[in-house]
Structure formats: structure tokens, C-alpha cells
């Protein structure tokens, strides 16, 4: 199978309100897939269902053909689902390198000795991720001292040390300037080319349209369109519901 994630008729109700309404979509291995829509459309709610922070009211989540609908978040992470958050979730009292080290030590606790990264290999892996994300120059800075754009990269780097197969990125370009966003898009493509599948929630349409292979659109909890960036930019329902003059 070439699919890494399948959502089957996912619905989420909060009291009498429908946050997500029978959403079905597929993430193909080795692709960058976007999820866009107005604020309150249900994007983060859907991410919370995938990562296990929220149980769906109905529907199933399949990861690498395994039904993970009832699994706890840490077990999903062990299987290879990485996550960043709309609101930064760093250890602000630790340096950049120690943020990564804590995550790698957690990964080692999950794995048996055969698969754990040990000794000098820990430092080598951290160095590799710091180089990959362009954070080497701030490796010893406290996370609390970083501007938002770099802090977003630290959160991504922390997810990468867990060797994810699928990355869920919730507005990762928030707080980045145009130059940082352009570099970030190139980094995402590099990660994708290395075999990591990416599911991206983002309001920066230049990043979405220039980086994603496919784009899904939510509006009031329902999936109203999916297609290539070109198809989405010309989709009448999407333009009416969300894009408007954003499409250019």
C-alpha cells in the first residue's frame, strides 16, 4: 500500500455542535499534503484526532494499515506520528540542544536496546538534525530567547529526532518572515524527499501552494474540496469559503 494515513468518516461533536463532519481523506507516503480553511473550520480538531489527543465521536484512523483509533498519543508517536502545535510547546528553560536531547532520550525509552540511539551516536544525531534545520548557530541558546521563527524550527527539530514517518505540522510558518518561510518550504521538501510524509495546516497560502502536492479544504467541519494546488486555487467553493484574494 502507498498510503500512510487514512481517515474514515471522522466526526467530532462538542455538545450539540459539529466540529468535524464525516471527513475522509488519505495521506500518501512521501508527499506533502495541505489542510486549509477558515478559522474554526476544524483543522486543529482533526489533527488532535490523528495524534490521539481527542477521540472521534465516530469514524476510524488508520496508520500504515493499522487501526489506531483507540491508541494513546504516546503509542501513536512510537509508531511514527510526529506533531508540532499551533501554540509553541517548547521547554523554554532549556537550551535548543537540550530540547532535542530530552526528546531523543524519550525515544530511547520507547525503544529496546537494539534500536535505541546510544552514547556518542546521540550527539551525532542531534548534530545532524541541527544542521538540517539550520539551528546549529543557536544550539546553546535558551529556547525562551529565540524569535518565533526559530522557535518553530526548534519544535520541528524536536519532532524529527523521534524519527517520524508522518509529521503533523500545525501552522509551522506562523511568526516567520518571508525569507524564513521560503527556506522552511525548501526544508519541508527536503524532508519529504527523505521519505517523511507531511500533513500541513497553514494559513500562509504561498507556502501551501508552492510546497504541497495535494490540498484538502475544510469549511464548517466538512471537507469541501481536495486536489492539486492549481485545482484548489480555481475551485469556486474554496474561493468563496476561504481563498478570495488569498489565492494569488
Amino acid at each position: 500500500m502507498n498510503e500512510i494515513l487514512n481517515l474514515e468518516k471522522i466526526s467530532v461533536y462538542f455538545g450539540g455542535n459539529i466540529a468535524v463532519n464525516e471527513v475522509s481523506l488519505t495521506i500518501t507516503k512521501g508527499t506533502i499534503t495541505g489542510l486549509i480553511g477558515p478559522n474554526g473550520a476544524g483543522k486543529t480538531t482533526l489533527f488532535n484526532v490523528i495524534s490521539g489527543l481527542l477521540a472521534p465521536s465516530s469514524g476510524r484512523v488508520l496508520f500504515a494499515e493499522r487501526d489506531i483509533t483507540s491508541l494513546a498519543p504516546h503509542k501513536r508517536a512510537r509508531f511514527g506520528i510526529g506533531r508540532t502545535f499551533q501554540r509553541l510547546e517548547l521547554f523554554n528553560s532549556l537550551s535548543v540542544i537540550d530540547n532535542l536531547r530530552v526528546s531523543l532520550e524519550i525515544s530511547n525509552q520507547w525503544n529496546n536496546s537494539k534500536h535505541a540511539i546510544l552514547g556518542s551516536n546521540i550527539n551525532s544525531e542531534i548534530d545532524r538534525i541541527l544542521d538540517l534545520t539550520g539551528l546549529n548557530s543557536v544550539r546553546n541558546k535558551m529556547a525562551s530567547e529565540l524569535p518565533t521563527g526559530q522557535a518553530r524550527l526548534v519544535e520541528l527539530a524536536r519532532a524529527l529526532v523521534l524519527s517520524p514517518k508522518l509529521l503533523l505540522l500545525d501552522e509551522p510558518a506562523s511568526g516567520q518572515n518571508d525569507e524564513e518561510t521560503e527556506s522552511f518550504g525548501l526544508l519541508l521538501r527536503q524532508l519529504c524527499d527523505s521519505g517523511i510524509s507531511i500533513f500541513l495546516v497553514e494559513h500562509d497560502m504561498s507556502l501551501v501552494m508552492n510546497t504541497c502536492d495535494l490540498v484538502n479544504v475544510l469549511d464548517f467541519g466538512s471537507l469541501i474540496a481536495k486536489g492539486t494546488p492549481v485545482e484548489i486555487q480555481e475551485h469556486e467553493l474554496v474561493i468563496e469559503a476561504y481563498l478570495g484574494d488569498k489565492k494569488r
Side-chain angles (χ1 to χ4, degrees), residues 45-66:
T45 298
L46 198 61
F47 264 27
N48 287 341
V49 169
I50 298 169
S51 58
L53 296 177
L54 180 66
S57 303
S58 61
R60 295 200 305 164
V61 180
L62 302 178
F63 180 70
E65 301 184 69
R66 177 194 294 264

Side-chain angles (χ1 to χ4, degrees), residues 57-239:
S57 303
S58 61
R60 295 200 305 164
V61 180
L62 302 178
F63 180 70
E65 301 184 69
R66 177 194 294 264
D67 188 337
I68 63 169
T69 311
S70 301
L71 288 185
H74 71 278
K75 292 184 178 179
R76 300 186 195 207
R78 288 182 65 178
F79 285 137
I81 297 179
R83 169 85 188 266
T84 68
F85 292 85
Q86 185 176 354
R87 180 177 178 180
L88 283 167
E89 298 284 347
L90 297 179
F91 300 116
N92 285 322
S93 61
L94 298 179
S95 66
V96 170
I97 193 170
D98 284 340
N99 264 271
L100 272 62
R101 192 180 302 279
V102 167
S103 291
L104 196 50
E105 289 173 352
I106 291 172
S107 176
N108 280 343
Q109 292 175 12
W110 290 344
N111 293 295
N112 57 39
S113 58
K114 181 178 179 181
H115 297 101
I117 300 174
L118 301 172
S120 62
N121 289 333
I122 290 179
N123 293 329
S124 296
E125 178 63 7
I126 289 175
D127 287 343
R128 184 185 74 82
I129 298 297
L130 289 173
D131 285 337
L132 178 65
T133 53
L135 291 168
N136 217 359
S137 63
V138 296
R139 60 191 293 141
N140 294 316
K141 275 195 172 184
M142 302 298 287
S144 60
E145 299 175 355
L146 299 178
T148 302
Q150 283 187 325
R152 295 280 178 194
L153 286 174
V154 176
E155 193 170 39
L156 174 62
R158 201 175 61 179
L160 288 174
V161 298
L162 300 180
S163 301
K165 298 174 184 175
L166 173 67
L167 271 175
L168 308 176
L169 305 181
D170 196 349
E171 297 192 29
S174 176
Q176 295 181 346
N177 60 36
D178 291 344
E179 183 178 350
E180 289 172 329
T181 300
E182 183 177 356
S183 296
F184 188 74
L186 295 175
L187 173 58
L188 294 187
R189 180 49 58 186
Q190 186 177 356
L191 294 175
C192 182
D193 290 343
S194 74
I196 299 174
S197 306
I198 297 171
F199 197 14
L200 172 70
V201 165
E202 185 54 63
H203 285 292
D204 188 315
M205 288 301 99
S206 64
L207 177 62
V208 171
M209 298 305 173
N210 292 328
T211 307
C212 292
D213 301 296
L214 293 170
V215 181
N216 297 268
V217 187
L218 280 181
D219 189 33
F220 291 107
S222 296
L223 191 65
I224 63 171
K226 51 186 171 182
T228 66
V230 171
E231 291 169 338
I232 292 302
Q233 289 181 81
E234 303 302 330
H235 198 292
E236 291 185 5
L237 284 178
V238 179
I239 295 171

